[in-house]
Amino acid sequence: MDRRNLVYDQTVLVLFRIDITDMQATFKLSQNRNDVDHERIVSELEKQDEPIADVMRQHRKS
C-alpha cells in the first residue's frame, strides 16, 4: 500500500470516569425572565393543567 495515499485520522478518543459525590437542587422557576415572558410561560402551563404554574405565580408575587 502506498503511504502517500493514506489519510490519518487524528481524532483522539479519551475515556474517563467521574464519581458523583454531591448533588444540589436548584429552585428555578423562570425568575430571570421579564414580567411579560414569565406571565406567558405561566399561562401556557396553566392551559396544560400543570400544578407548577400556581407555584410559579405565587413565587413571583413574593
Side-chain angles (χ1 to χ4, degrees), residues 29-54:
L29 300 174
S30 298
Q31 67 265 35
N32 61 329
R33 302 291 183 127
N34 63 42
D35 290 340
V36 173
D37 286 346
H38 188 270
E39 180 58 35
R40 182 178 45 80
I41 292 166
V42 172
S43 294
E44 289 298 319
L45 289 169
E46 286 173 337
K47 287 179 189 176
Q48 299 171 23
D49 293 325
E50 292 289 341
I52 194 68
D54 293 332

Side-chain angles (χ1 to χ4, degrees), residues 17-32:
R17 177 181 170 162
I18 299 176
D19 293 325
I20 299 173
T21 59
D22 185 37
M23 291 180 65
Q24 298 178 3
T26 301
F27 191 65
K28 187 101 175 83
L29 300 174
S30 298
Q31 67 265 35
N32 61 329

Side-chain angles (χ1 to χ4, degrees), residues 5-13:
N5 292 333
L6 289 178
V7 176
Y8 292 98
D9 184 4
Q10 296 181 2
T11 303
V12 176
L13 179 62

